[in-house]
Amino acid sequence: MPPATVTEYPIHHSQAKSNTERPGAPVSGSPDLTSSWRQDVHFLGDKDGKVELRSPPNFNDISDARTHLKQHLAAAFRVFARQGFDEGVAGHISLRDPGNPSLFWINPLSTHFSQIRVSDLVLVGETGEVLPDGAQNPINGPAFAIHSAIHRARPDLNAACHAHSVYGKAFSCFGRPIEMLYQDALRFYNDLAVYPRYGGTVLTAEWATGSRLHWGRAAVNHGMITCGRTVDEAAFLFIALDRCCHSQLLANAAVCPGFEKRYITDEQAEFGHRRSGNASKMWLAFQPYYDQVVKEEPDLLL
């Protein structure tokens, strides 16, 4: 029997062989996403169908899949550094392990985003212990509290980004969601939550109790959190949300008589969200960033 195909898309808890599966074990299966890809990204090619757009790769070996995913995770940190999302030891991106959904990879504590390589990524266990299969470096305690809660509560999502970006922090002061004023904001239509009050430094997973994780793929609090089926999706959503916060602040500042804000209708916003904010489109949107940083900083793959 041929080995199962591994894709970049999520391996849900129900799809994993068991919660004790360790890195290096085979994966039990994956969904067929070919039919939805072209519909999601709606690209045009030649009349013979030979011009194809790149799409999330398939793998026959779980180790190859893990290597590929970790490369994109390391690249996401480099991209975040270029976007100015670094600030001391604040900020983290996590990625569920494709062979064991109860484990995830994350950045080491006190390593600048611009210096992170694949070999620096830490594999974290269910109770927060650093596992021997990854880099032997400590991790941020609040990072584990936040990301472990997300990964437990949302088995449909494989990656999560959290950072204290300038525009994200500024807009979070208002405790309001971004408004549907322009096309790029539609990516977050009915897919964004706001935590309206400061709850203190996160030290345990108790912050995730109640309804705090009952949001879509993005949230605004003291910084921002975005999630996705791939780290590419989550990372691009973070970039997009930070720019939406910036645009919202500019729009609010410009309001005056004769320059009132004009809102997109719910019907148009719903359609735009499906077309421009779907997971496939967000994966694709991150690839130019990945290409650029790998070409200019190839050491990240080490």
Side-chain angles (χ1 to χ4, degrees), residues 75-76 120 175 179 197 239 248 259:
D120 295 318
E179 298 172 329
R197 60 187 179 278
I239 295 169
Q248 180 78 59
F259 282 82

Side-chain angles (χ1 to χ4, degrees), residues 44-272:
L44 300 177
D46 65 314
K47 64 179 182 179
D48 297 322
K50 297 179 180 179
V51 176
E52 287 291 335
L53 183 66
R54 60 178 166 181
S55 59
N58 297 328
F59 299 94
N60 290 324
D61 181 81
I62 193 68
S63 296
D64 292 340
R66 182 178 292 111
T67 296
H68 174 84
L69 295 172
K70 289 172 64 180
Q71 289 173 345
H72 281 245
L73 175 58
F77 288 110
R78 300 290 184 107
V79 171
F80 271 33
R82 291 179 173 221
Q83 296 290 323
F85 297 156
D86 54 289
E87 185 172 344
V89 298
H92 11 86
I93 307 174
S94 65
L95 174 67
R96 196 188 302 275
D97 184 78
N100 187 339
S102 65
L103 313 180
F104 61 85
W105 298 87
I106 201 166
N107 50 305
L109 180 64
S110 193
T111 299
H112 196 271
F113 284 178
S114 67
Q115 302 299 310
I116 291 179
R117 303 166 298 172
V118 170
S119 58
D120 295 318
L121 299 173
V122 180
L123 184 64
V124 185
E126 294 182 71
T127 59
E129 72 277 15
V130 173
L131 298 177
D133 301 277
Q136 298 301 287
N137 292 308
I139 64 168
N140 186 301
F144 173 75
I146 293 170
H147 290 263
S148 64
I150 292 172
H151 288 296
R152 283 197 303 270
R154 297 297 301 271
D156 57 317
L157 300 173
N158 273 353
C161 305
H162 173 58
H164 301 176
S165 66
V166 173
Y167 298 118
K169 286 189 293 187
F171 188 69
S172 71
C173 297
F174 300 97
R176 299 174 60 89
I178 58 173
E179 298 172 329
M180 299 299 107
L181 298 172
Y182 46 90
Q183 180 171 294
D184 290 346
L186 304 185
R187 295 178 177 127
F188 302 99
Y189 178 72
N190 283 343
D191 211 2
L192 174 71
V194 175
Y195 187 53
R197 60 187 179 278
Y198 179 65
T201 301
V202 177
L203 296 177
T204 71
E206 293 178 0
W207 76 280
T209 59
S211 61
R212 297 189 199 177
L213 285 182
H214 295 173
W215 34 270
R217 295 178 299 171
V220 177
N221 46 33
H222 62 281
M224 303 189 303
I225 299 173
T226 57
C227 301
R229 298 195 296 177
T230 62
V231 69
D232 307 69
E233 177 189 359
F236 181 76
L237 281 171
F238 194 98
I239 295 169
L241 183 55
D242 187 70
R243 293 184 179 180
C244 282
C245 290
H246 188 187
S247 299
Q248 180 78 59
L249 292 167
L250 291 174
N252 290 352
V255 171
C256 64
F259 282 82
E260 294 81 10
K261 289 182 287 189
R262 302 179 67 177
Y263 296 88
I264 297 172
T265 67
D266 287 342
E267 181 180 8
Q268 291 174 316
E270 174 63 33
F271 179 79

